[in-house]
Amino acid sequence: MSFLTLSHIQKSFGTVQVVHDFNMSIEKGEFISFLGPSGCGKTTILRMIAGFETPSSGTITIAGKDQTSLKPNQRNIGMVFQAYALFPNMTVFDNVAFGLKIAKMPKADIEKRVTEMLKLIHLEHLATRYPYQLSGGQQQRVALARALAPKPQVLLLDEPLSALDAKIRVSLREEIRQIQMQLGITTVFVTHDQEEALSISDRIVVMHAGRADQIGTPFDIYNHPETRFVASFVGTLNLIDAKVADASAGTILLGDQQVRLAKPLPAAAGETVTVALRPEAGSMAEGAKGEINLSGTVASSHFLGSVIRTRLDIGGQLISFDMFNDPGQAPPAVGEKVTLTFAGDDLMVLPH
């Protein structure tokens, strides 16, 4: 049975509808990420779960209880914001204790719970410091501890890492995921960073223009995109125009080279379709296994350390290809004739 349910949620601001008939069931203890560009509706959905916005229609339930008309302080929810939102005149200890004091918890219990939370985020040695004496990463960990201290049913994270530098962002997202799994708390995380979403989520909701274009595991979202938007937004893709040779046989023409796909095509012979190929798919190694072989010319080759990024001219179209660096083999040279080998399943036909 689902723990957090959003049923037929819609939200309009004036005449502008920003969320269209959104439906989702989230299990207890799941880590869900809402991923999408600015203005897609992901933060609006988070704010409706928190109670800061009221749905124009639809219902939100947590553990079977309707939350739709409840105020934020009537919902047992913890929230972490992008801008930390710590109280500057309070110590780390008092910031974490704030929600517990509001709930009138006994002083001894507050001290015990705050100590537990500071130990959880590894900042017990900074309990007497003020926010201005902390780094950005430390402040965000304090904000996380403050949100978790009252033992909320659901934890909401609104782009909590976007103000941090790249290295801190990676370590803190791993720490957030570890804490979430340790506590088993149902978590909704909003981000525009696909790497964040792919690395720590149980499931991802890819939002586009107020709708969920696709909901699935990181593996499925990346490898089996269901819409053109998901395919182009998550990861890097080569988009290749091809002509249908035989729809039932699944054959297409890339320039003058015929390719057979794994499935029949939803288009008639002579029509143009767009196929997509991930840069890491396939191999240029001699004897590589795969049903499809495409011949091309190296247009550019860039050494990026662990990865060599090559662009191939195949039938007048440029296709990017990534391969791991091999110290015993020089990168492909510009002008070199090469063959790219990959599986039929690697070529995805995108819907219009």
Side-chain angles (χ1 to χ4, degrees):
M1 184 180 174
S2 65
F3 182 70
L4 169 59
T5 305
L6 296 95
S7 302
H8 301 292
I9 298 296
Q10 299 197 55
K11 179 64 180 177
S12 297
F13 293 103
T15 58
V16 179
Q17 190 167 355
V18 294
V19 177
H20 302 262
D21 195 30
F22 183 86
N23 295 277
M24 188 173 189
S25 295
I26 299 171
E27 300 300 318
K28 189 171 177 61
E30 253 194 308
F31 193 110
I32 301 295
S33 288
F34 280 72
L35 173 66
S38 297
C40 67
K42 58 188 187 297
T43 296
T44 301
I45 292 175
L46 192 83
R47 289 176 61 82
M48 286 190 282
I49 297 171
F52 298 132
E53 300 286 354
T54 303
S56 302
S57 62
T59 57
I60 299 169
T61 61
I62 298 176
K65 183 180 179 182
D66 191 342
Q67 309 282 309
T68 316
S69 58
L70 297 181
K71 295 176 182 177
N73 62 356
Q74 296 173 313
R75 307 182 189 203
N76 188 13
I77 284 175
M79 188 155 183
V80 179
F81 301 91
Q82 178 181 336
Y84 318 140
L86 297 178
F87 299 109
N89 59 331
M90 292 185 186
T91 64
V92 166
F93 184 97
D94 288 336
N95 263 284
V96 177
F98 180 77
L100 306 177
K101 290 177 180 176
I102 294 294
K104 300 192 182 328
M105 184 181 280
K107 190 175 180 181
D109 292 345
I110 290 175
E111 191 154 332
K112 182 182 176 186
R113 181 63 177 166
V114 173
T115 302
E116 285 175 4
M117 289 295 98
L118 292 179
K119 190 174 180 181
L120 186 69
I121 62 168
H122 310 295
L123 290 182
E124 57 264 53
H125 59 295
L126 301 181
T128 58
R129 289 200 183 176
Y130 288 86
Y132 74 89
Q133 297 173 307
L134 305 177
S135 68
Q138 289 170 334
Q139 288 186 60
Q140 198 56 292
R141 282 153 70 190
V142 173
L144 177 64
R146 182 180 63 185
L148 291 170
K151 298 184 179 178
Q153 288 181 300
V154 176
L155 176 65
L156 305 178
L157 302 159
D158 187 11
E159 303 217 34
L161 310 177
S162 58
L164 305 173
D165 65 55
K167 193 172 181 181
I168 296 296
R169 211 158 54 226
V170 171
S171 63
L172 190 51
R173 80 185 183 208
E174 291 170 355
E175 192 171 339
I176 287 172
R177 178 57 161 155
Q178 186 180 9
I179 289 170
Q180 183 268 336
M181 292 176 73
Q182 186 177 333
L183 299 178
I185 186 169
T186 307
T187 301
V188 180
F189 180 88
V190 162
T191 182
H192 62 270
D193 187 316
Q194 56 180 283
E195 186 180 298
E196 279 179 7
L198 290 167
S199 65
I200 60 176
S201 310
D202 291 314
R203 285 189 294 160
I204 296 173
V205 183
V206 183
M207 295 293 297
H208 178 223
R211 291 181 170 85
D213 256 32
Q214 188 172 347
I215 300 174
T217 65
F219 181 88
D220 284 337
I221 292 288
Y222 187 86
N223 291 305
H224 307 292
E226 293 176 357
T227 70
R228 180 181 286 266
F229 175 79
V230 174
S232 59
F233 187 78
V234 181
T236 304
L237 269 183
N238 292 296
L239 298 178
I240 311 160
D241 290 329
K243 275 199 173 174
V244 177
D246 186 331
S248 59
T251 55
I252 57 173
L253 287 171
L254 293 172
D256 59 357
Q257 300 181 69
Q258 185 166 294
V259 170
R260 182 164 189 163
L261 304 179
K263 298 175 184 176
L265 290 159
E271 286 188 49
T272 299
V273 293
T274 303
V275 292
L277 181 70
R278 297 284 184 197
E280 71 272 15
S283 173
M284 287 194 293
E286 220 173 299
K289 292 181 179 178
E291 300 91 17
I292 299 175
N293 296 290
L294 286 178
S295 299
T297 305
V298 176
S300 65
S301 184
H302 300 283
F303 181 74
L304 304 176
S306 61
V307 171
I308 297 168
R309 183 155 296 157
T310 305
R311 296 180 84 199
L312 306 177
D313 184 335
I314 296 177
Q317 298 190 74
L318 291 177
I319 296 176
S320 293
F321 171 68
D322 292 347
M323 61 183 179
F324 286 115
N325 172 41
D326 180 354
Q329 185 178 352
V334 173
E336 185 180 341
K337 302 288 185 185
V338 296
T339 298
L340 180 62
T341 301
F342 50 91
D345 283 340
D346 290 331
L347 267 185
M348 299 176 278
V349 180
L350 297 182
H352 291 292

